[in-house]
Amino acid sequence: MALTASLGMAPAASAKTRECDTKPIETALSELGKIGVPGIAVTVKSPNCGIWQGGVGLADRATGRKVVGNEFSRIGSDTKTWTATVVLQLVAEGKIDLADTVDHYLPGLIRNDKYDGRTITIRQLLQHTSGLPDYLGNDYWKDEEARRWDHIEPLQTVQQALPLDPPKDRAPSGFAYSNTNYNLAGLIVTKVTGRDIGTEITERIIKPLGLRDTYWPGDDVTIRKPDLRSYKWVAGAVVDRTEWNTTEADASGELISTGADTTTFWTALLTGKLLAPAQLAEMKKTVLDNAGEGYGLGIERYGFTEDPVTWGHSGSMLSAHEFRNAFTEDAERGVTLLIDTDEYESEDVDRIIGALIHDLR
């Protein structure tokens, strides 16, 4: 399919006066245009250029609308970092202890012949070392399209996970990625605060940071305009899967945002504006995941570039929206991609992001 590339050059007001070199960005856009997806919204942060937004391809195949970089999209599991931030704020307030068990907050909820909430800690939930299976493995989700419009409560997803066998692909560290962990963490936040995780994220992160383009959709199956549509190849045809009820994702992946807003969030997180030093340090304590990279408390330490060290959290949705990002430790350099399909080679994207982060000035 034909792809077009554009670079919206809008440096932030705080950008340094040193010369901005856009060549690394232009190279990355050219490479992204070759990976064979309909469209990608790109946001780049660098010391000399400030915030740059642009895009590759089409945001909407039906109308021919091009990606320009300001599109709304589902960010999927990047939501986990926002959820973990709320939990760690509650830790700082003395309302949650990472060493406490699930049963301490939700007595009896996790209790069968396979799993015992009395032995699973909050830290293990946030670090995916609980041993709980992913609820998406339940037969209920075999036909995703059949569940497209369903309203699903987070408690239902936990209950869907409990009959399943433990994950077979646990890393030696005990890591096994499971969305159940974060929906369960969201339920604990609700028990402690009396408010659902979406409200807590809104009041503790979205409003204080002034993120006008980030929101919790609930049962709204649409995405605010301008939206990045999403596509799946089914029986040789491209199918638009944008409209979707994502309530099942809850604390594990429900947020909708933009590249600019998520850049603001990650900058605030890594520079200590959302968490005290002790809690940020806990977040960055990693174990090896199945890919040999580091996973902390809702944050990933990427292995595709060791110079510089980068942090972030990827995301994907049943609607086929994908989210990829990477930020340096000081948050001076960052790359965020909103991708409108889950059908691409992730290694190619990792390589492009790694090279861009390395070359940004």
Side-chain angles (χ1 to χ4, degrees):
M1 61 186 65
L3 293 175
T4 60
S6 63
L7 177 60
M9 300 182 179
S14 60
K16 305 292 189 300
T17 57
R18 290 173 293 181
E19 183 177 356
C20 170
D21 180 7
T22 63
K23 288 181 181 178
I25 303 173
E26 293 164 359
T27 298
L29 287 172
S30 177
E31 291 296 309
L32 288 170
K34 299 173 184 176
I35 68 172
V37 303
I40 306 173
V42 182
T43 301
V44 178
K45 180 184 181 186
S46 67
N48 295 352
C49 298
I51 304 296
W52 294 71
Q53 290 186 286
V56 173
L58 301 177
D60 189 334
R61 285 170 52 91
T63 65
R65 175 168 52 90
K66 295 181 180 181
V67 178
V68 297
N70 66 343
E71 290 80 10
F72 288 87
S73 183
R74 299 187 177 103
I75 67 172
S77 289
D78 193 75
T79 303
K80 290 180 172 67
T81 312
W82 305 58
T83 296
T85 299
V86 168
V87 173
L88 288 166
Q89 288 178 347
L90 292 168
V91 169
E93 295 165 13
K95 298 175 182 176
I96 289 180
D97 191 315
L98 292 174
D100 280 342
T101 65
V102 171
D103 207 69
H104 176 81
Y105 300 96
L106 301 171
L109 177 60
I110 309 298
R111 193 80 61 83
N112 62 18
D113 60 347
K114 298 176 182 177
Y115 311 104
D116 189 342
R118 294 170 295 185
T119 64
I120 298 172
T121 67
I122 308 305
R123 181 186 296 278
Q124 289 174 320
L125 292 181
L126 299 184
Q127 202 163 53
H128 293 298
T129 54
S130 70
L132 290 170
D134 195 321
Y135 65 84
L136 291 173
N138 190 289
D139 286 347
Y140 181 89
W141 296 101
K142 278 190 174 180
D143 185 349
E144 296 174 359
E145 288 286 344
R147 305 304 177 192
R148 185 169 180 172
W149 314 112
D150 291 1
H151 172 92
I152 307 293
E153 290 292 325
L155 179 59
Q156 289 176 263
T157 66
V158 174
Q159 292 169 335
Q160 288 172 351
L162 292 180
L164 303 177
D165 290 334
K168 295 179 180 179
D169 59 347
R170 295 187 76 178
S173 65
F175 178 93
Y177 194 89
S178 170
N179 290 295
T180 309
N181 289 319
Y182 272 77
N183 283 2
L184 190 50
L187 290 173
I188 291 170
V189 168
T190 299
K191 183 64 178 289
V192 169
T193 67
R195 302 193 297 189
D196 64 83
I197 186 62
T199 300
E200 287 296 323
I201 287 175
T202 300
E203 296 299 322
R204 290 172 173 270
I205 300 175
I206 294 174
K207 287 183 178 180
L209 293 181
L211 305 180
R212 297 181 180 180
D213 295 331
T214 302
Y215 66 100
W216 199 259
D219 284 310
D220 188 351
V221 302
T222 64
I223 300 175
R224 290 178 189 170
K225 307 298 184 183
D227 60 341
L228 187 72
R229 308 296 292 179
S230 63
Y231 301 98
K232 195 85 173 178
W233 278 255
V234 180
V238 181
V239 178
D240 187 317
R241 289 162 61 100
T242 308
E243 281 69 39
W244 207 284
N245 188 316
T246 61
T247 49
E248 55 85 17
D250 196 58
S252 69
E254 194 170 337
L255 277 174
I256 292 175
S257 190
T258 62
D261 266 15
T262 54
T263 295
T264 298
F265 164 73
W266 276 92
T267 299
L269 176 64
L270 292 171
T271 57
K273 293 181 175 63
L274 292 174
L275 293 176
Q279 278 68 53
L280 185 56
E282 289 295 334
M283 177 177 266
K284 290 182 175 180
K285 289 181 180 177
T286 64
V287 297
L288 286 179
D289 63 15
N290 302 89
E293 297 184 341
Y295 197 96
L297 304 184
I299 193 170
E300 295 175 285
R301 187 185 188 279
Y302 293 129
F304 50 72
T305 172
E306 291 298 324
D307 179 23
V309 170
T310 54
W311 299 89
H313 202 298
S314 59
S316 61
M317 296 296 289
L318 295 180
S319 66
H321 283 106
E322 291 270 316
F323 179 94
R324 305 295 296 274
N325 73 343
F327 283 82
T328 54
E329 196 112 37
D330 59 7
E332 285 292 308
R333 288 177 272 173
V335 177
T336 301
L337 307 181
L338 305 176
I339 307 174
D340 63 4
T341 183
D342 57 6
E343 299 186 27
Y344 62 93
E345 292 296 329
S346 59
E347 294 82 3
D348 292 340
V349 172
D350 287 348
R351 174 181 53 79
I352 295 167
I353 292 176
L356 180 53
I357 283 280
H358 182 272
D359 293 341
L360 284 174
R361 295 293 181 268

